[in-house]
Amino acid sequence: TKEFLQDIGSVNIEDAYRYSINVENTSEYMSPTSGGGDFNSGVLNTRSANRIRGLTSPGVTHDFFQTNVLQDSYNLERVSFSSGPNAILFGNGNPGGIIDSAFIRANLQRPRYELSIRADDQGSLRGAVDLNQPVLKDKLALRVAMMKSRQESWRSPGGRDEDRYFATVTARPWKSTTIRAY
């Protein structure tokens, strides 16, 4: 859940891997040929260097649609790890399983405003804003999330700069119909 991701200090899915059963992240396992990269050409795909159950990297989906977009916790509601035979039931089957993340959704009932700022001893700084506003109560709501991160590393030069923006709309034109857009 979003609360668990906050409790463990996770900012991406790879951080959450450390707290999952039978999952090896890039810190525990790093194949030199993951995703077609190799040491000779200097290309190493750390995105698919994680393994589930010692088999292979998992399929990665957003709301059960396959994705190559790196997930970040600023706009995620929940992350589900599904491994073993039941992974085939949830989208694109993979021997390593499926990692599915669910986007945050606009809430029709009440407004919500959240601001978070994180810093570390390496000089990194990360700020995130999450704004949910019902426009028409129980009918239409808008939610916007933004994140700006300047991540530094003990290894120089190292780090990563990211600016991300996300918006979602929820509409309920009739009592039994809900429309969502991201």
Side-chain angles (χ1 to χ4, degrees), residues 46-114:
T46 60
R47 175 81 170 127
S48 62
N50 305 292
R51 293 191 306 183
I52 292 185
R53 299 173 56 222
L55 295 173
T56 183
S57 59
V60 181
T61 60
H62 265 306
D63 290 323
F64 302 109
F65 288 96
Q66 190 172 6
T67 183
N68 290 324
V69 176
L70 293 172
Q71 292 106 331
D72 193 284
S73 62
Y74 86 102
N75 69 341
L76 297 182
E77 192 67 39
R78 130 179 339 273
V79 177
S80 301
F81 293 80
S82 180
S83 60
N86 63 338
I88 296 170
L89 300 174
F90 300 99
N92 299 318
N94 192 333
I98 295 290
I99 306 295
D100 181 63
S101 55
F103 286 127
I104 55 177
R105 296 177 175 177
N107 187 324
L108 296 167
Q109 277 75 41
R110 60 182 180 188
R112 175 189 164 152
Y113 313 108
E114 184 179 315

Side-chain angles (χ1 to χ4, degrees), residues 2 13 17 33-35 45 63 97 109 111 120 122-123 154 162:
K2 189 169 187 72
I13 299 301
Y17 285 162
T33 59
S34 293
N45 183 358
D63 290 323
Q109 277 75 41
D120 67 17
Q122 303 295 327
W154 60 271
E162 288 185 276

Side-chain angles (χ1 to χ4, degrees), residues 132-151:
N132 181 81
Q133 183 64 49
V135 179
L136 299 170
K137 189 168 176 135
D138 296 327
K139 294 285 184 189
L140 181 65
L142 173 66
R143 189 167 183 175
V144 176
M146 298 168 272
M147 183 270 297
K148 184 171 189 144
S149 174
R150 300 298 176 254
Q151 205 172 18

Side-chain angles (χ1 to χ4, degrees), residues 5-70:
L5 292 172
Q6 289 172 343
D7 287 348
I8 64 173
S10 174
V11 295
N12 57 40
I13 299 301
E14 284 73 22
D15 290 341
Y17 285 162
R18 289 186 236 153
Y19 297 89
S20 303
I21 297 172
N22 290 327
V23 177
E24 297 170 300
N25 64 20
T26 55
S27 300
E28 299 164 333
Y29 163 76
M30 183 63 131
S31 169
T33 59
S34 293
D38 61 51
F39 288 131
N40 296 330
S41 66
V43 176
L44 192 59
N45 183 358
T46 60
R47 175 81 170 127
S48 62
N50 305 292
R51 293 191 306 183
I52 292 185
R53 299 173 56 222
L55 295 173
T56 183
S57 59
V60 181
T61 60
H62 265 306
D63 290 323
F64 302 109
F65 288 96
Q66 190 172 6
T67 183
N68 290 324
V69 176
L70 293 172

